[in-house]
Amino acid sequence: MMNTAKQLILAEFQTFKKEYFHQKVKKEENGKTREALFVIVAMLSMAGPVFGIQSLLWHIAVIIISGIAGYWMFTAKPIAGIVGAIAFAIVLPLAYNFYFSGRTTYLNIEVLIPMLNATRW
């Protein structure tokens, strides 16, 4: 009787450990995917102002790509991911233009270096 209870408890504990391990692995993979997609959204958002692209079609394409990336970044809450990524894609070029509006000399690389540093690549 005691041996059966011990075996049941050990089997349940082993099952719990496996499930917890798989959850951790999945969460780590999702974190890497999020980082990569965030870098893609940030680079696309910055490409327009850095390279002087002023086409409306470019901005629409960046917003669409950012929305798709936002969906894949936060699959648990896709609406929040889409809205956040689109807001980022809209606000980042505005912030870039605001930062450089009063300056007479600058290098476009000034913005890319801190962004690359922040992504830990």
Side-chain angles (χ1 to χ4, degrees), residues 43-54:
M43 290 298 175
L44 281 175
S45 298
M46 286 303 300
V50 168
F51 297 117
I53 302 171
Q54 296 183 357

Side-chain angles (χ1 to χ4, degrees), residues 89-109:
I90 292 171
V91 170
L92 192 62
L94 296 173
Y96 176 88
N97 289 332
F98 177 75
Y99 177 72
F100 286 117
S101 66
R103 297 181 65 183
T104 56
T105 60
Y106 62 89
L107 298 173
N108 285 338
I109 199 79

Side-chain angles (χ1 to χ4, degrees), residues 35-36 38-40 42-44 46 50 88 92 108-121:
E35 274 188 30
F38 177 75
V39 169
I40 290 170
M43 290 298 175
L44 281 175
M46 286 303 300
V50 168
F88 185 80
L92 192 62
N108 285 338
I109 199 79
E110 282 182 70
V111 175
L112 295 177
I113 292 171
M115 187 177 2
L116 290 174
N117 190 26
T119 59
R120 293 176 273 153
W121 281 36

Side-chain angles (χ1 to χ4, degrees), residues 6 13 16 20 22 36 52 57 64 71 73 77 82 91 93 98 111:
K6 184 178 180 180
F13 184 72
F16 174 75
Y20 185 72
H22 290 299
L57 183 62
I64 291 170
Y71 176 82
M73 279 192 282
K77 297 181 180 179
I82 292 169
V91 170
F98 177 75
V111 175

